[in-house]
Amino acid sequence: MIRLPISGVRARWRAATGHDDIAVADRGAGLAGALTCVNRSVEDEAGSLVDGMALPVGDLDLLVVARRREVRGDSFVAEGTCGRCGAPVDVRFSLAAYADHHRPRVPRGGIQDGNGWWRWPRHEVSVRVPAVADVLAAVAADN
């Protein structure tokens, strides 16, 4: 089980099936593809499928990194060329170290109000962490 750092949901990946692979391939890369994969394959503690649209984007990202580590190992290796000078570029890093470095942290004084809302009474500010649904709606908006 993975405890998602923003929502606090405890989740796990089900074993992948060929149907899951086809669904993900049909949906494509990016946030929409990750959402399809999570919606088909991630369960909560009770064994119910997790609603990826309701998850904060950072939690969905962590699930994808966790799945990548499970399937292909902790080491991420990429090769390419610099878009500016054409020089070869090799990148290698640990996905566990990456996830730890990018782990969400609550700024000092933040109080969780529930349903994804946080407040800072001293500054009279409240915010809600964007969910996947928020980001997809923003991408689809004309303005």
Side-chain angles (χ1 to χ4, degrees), residues 3-59:
R3 183 180 177 280
L4 301 177
I6 301 170
S7 66
V9 169
R10 292 184 47 81
R12 68 176 161 261
W13 284 91
R14 292 189 310 190
T17 68
H19 297 289
D20 295 331
D21 296 338
I22 291 169
V24 171
D26 286 347
R27 188 63 176 168
L31 184 58
L35 175 63
T36 298
C37 191
V38 165
N39 280 345
R40 292 183 63 90
S41 304
V42 175
E43 300 174 331
D44 62 16
E45 288 179 294
S48 300
L49 287 174
V50 169
D51 177 11
M53 289 286 274
L55 289 176
V57 175
D59 282 356

